[in-house]
Amino acid sequence: MTLSAAALRAFFTAHPAAIAAELTAVRGSSPREAGAFMLVSATGQIGTIGGGALEYLVIDRARQVLRSGEPGDDLDIPLGPEIGQCCGGRVDVSLRRLDEAAVARLIGRIEAEVAARPHIFLFGAGHVGRALAHALAPLPVHVHVVDTRPAELSGLPDLVATHAVPMPEAMVRRAPPGSSYAILTHDHALDFLIGAEALQRRDAPYVGMVGSKTKRARFRSWYAAEGHPVGELERLVLPIGGKAFPAGTGDKRPEVIAALAAAEIMVHTLGREVELGIRPVTAMQSGAVVGH
C-alpha cells in the first residue's frame, strides 16, 4: 500500500528518534526515482527506496547515525557489484534526523500528493465490481463505487468511496477532470447509458465496460441509433482487461478479470498523466523535508 500521512504520524509517535533517508539524485538505472524515501528508527522502518542491497546498506548506515548522535550523512552509492546489486546506476542518499517540524512538512507533501491523485469510478458493485474495487484500493488513486442498490455497497475497503444513486450516469457529469470509468452494472441498458456519458468526457483516460464482442456490437448499434458518432467507440474498452494482456487468459473468475482490468486502468490513467506532464510528487521531492 502507498505511504499515508496517518501511517507516518503513527510511525513518528512510536519512533520519535528516526532518520529520513531520501534518494536525492539518480544516475542511470535505479530501483526507485529521485525523491523516494523511507524512515528508519532503531527498531523499525516505513517506506522504501527500492529494497535489496541498497536498502539494507542505507538502513544499516541510518542506524549507525542514530547511535552515534550525528546529525546525518550523505551517501554516494554505486548500484553494481560493489554492493551486490545489478541495476548499474548510482544514487545519492541523504540521511537526516527527523523532528516535529520536518514530520509536519513531510505529512503536508504526502497530503498534497494524495489530493492530486486521479479518480476512478466503478459503476456496479457486483462480483467483478467488488473484486476490482479491492484490487484498486491500495493503489495511488481515488476509487469510487457507484450503484443503484445501497445494500450492495457494504463491505468494501475503507479507502473506497461509495455512492448509492438512482441515476449513476449523472455521476459521470460531476466527476473530477481526468477521471477514469469502468462500467460493470447488473443491467445492460444502464451500462449503455453510463457508457454514452463517459464517452462524452474527452478528458477521460479510460472508459471500459465488462462484456463480450456481442455486447460491443449491440452497444455500437444502440450508440449509432442514438445519433452518436461511432468513431467515438474507438475509445471504449470492451471487454475490460483485454488491452492489458491482449492474448487473454480465458479465465472469467471475478478476481482474475479484476486483476487484468486494474492493470489496464492504471496503464491508461498513469499514461495520461505522463502525456500531460503530470508527475506524481513523492513526499520529499521539491526540496528536502529536513534542512541540510
Side-chain angles (χ1 to χ4, degrees):
M1 182 177 292
T2 52
L3 200 55
S4 69
L8 283 181
R9 289 190 187 98
F11 184 87
F12 190 64
T13 298
H15 307 273
I19 294 286
E22 176 192 3
L23 297 185
T24 54
V26 172
R27 299 177 294 283
S29 179
S30 167
R32 288 296 304 274
E33 71 286 350
F37 74 98
M38 63 181 177
L39 306 186
V40 181
S41 73
T43 58
Q45 173 202 349
I46 189 171
T48 179
I49 57 171
L54 167 65
E55 192 158 295
Y56 282 113
L57 186 156
V58 171
I59 291 171
D60 185 60
R61 178 58 186 139
R63 288 176 175 157
Q64 289 177 11
V65 170
L66 285 171
R67 290 192 297 268
S68 70
E70 299 170 73
D73 197 5
D74 294 298
L75 309 176
D76 177 5
I77 303 174
L79 304 178
E82 298 94 327
I83 67 166
Q85 198 151 334
C86 58
C87 292
R90 200 175 190 98
V91 297
D92 293 341
V93 184
S94 168
L95 303 179
R96 293 294 180 271
R97 288 180 179 269
L98 284 178
D99 57 22
E100 290 186 2
V103 172
R105 289 193 292 272
L106 177 56
I107 288 172
R109 291 185 185 278
I110 288 180
E111 290 175 337
E113 187 272 328
V114 170
R117 289 175 181 174
H119 294 254
I120 298 175
F121 286 81
L122 310 180
F123 292 90
H127 296 305
V128 177
R130 296 176 73 84
L132 185 51
H134 280 274
L136 291 169
L139 303 180
V141 293
H142 297 288
V143 183
H144 305 258
V145 178
V146 184
D147 206 299
T148 57
R149 307 161 295 172
E152 298 297 320
L153 295 169
S154 62
L156 289 166
D158 292 339
L159 294 174
V160 172
T162 58
H163 309 269
V165 295
M167 298 177 61
E169 65 272 20
M171 292 291 296
V172 178
R173 301 170 207 150
R174 300 197 298 267
S179 296
S180 292
Y181 308 93
I183 304 159
L184 322 99
T185 81
H186 61 291
D187 185 325
H188 283 197
L190 185 56
D191 282 353
F192 290 179
L193 288 173
I194 298 168
E197 286 288 347
L199 288 171
Q200 305 314 303
R201 291 293 302 254
R202 308 299 180 191
D203 59 332
Y206 179 88
V207 179
M209 188 182 296
V210 74
S212 61
K213 291 181 179 180
T214 300
K215 184 174 180 180
R216 184 179 184 92
R218 288 180 59 193
F219 183 74
R220 178 185 177 90
S221 297
W222 175 85
Y223 199 71
E226 290 293 309
H228 298 293
V230 293
E232 294 176 350
L233 296 178
E234 293 298 319
R235 297 176 52 227
L236 176 66
V237 179
L238 198 175
I240 61 171
K243 287 196 174 182
F245 299 92
T249 66
D251 194 323
K252 296 184 179 180
R253 284 175 289 183
E255 294 79 9
V256 175
I257 296 172
L260 299 179
E264 181 177 85
I265 292 168
M266 293 303 294
V267 166
H268 282 71
T269 301
L270 299 182
R272 175 62 63 86
E273 289 190 329
V274 170
E275 288 176 11
L276 296 176
I278 301 170
R279 182 172 181 262
V281 179
T282 51
M284 296 179 68
Q285 205 169 298
S286 305
V289 172
V290 184
H292 288 252

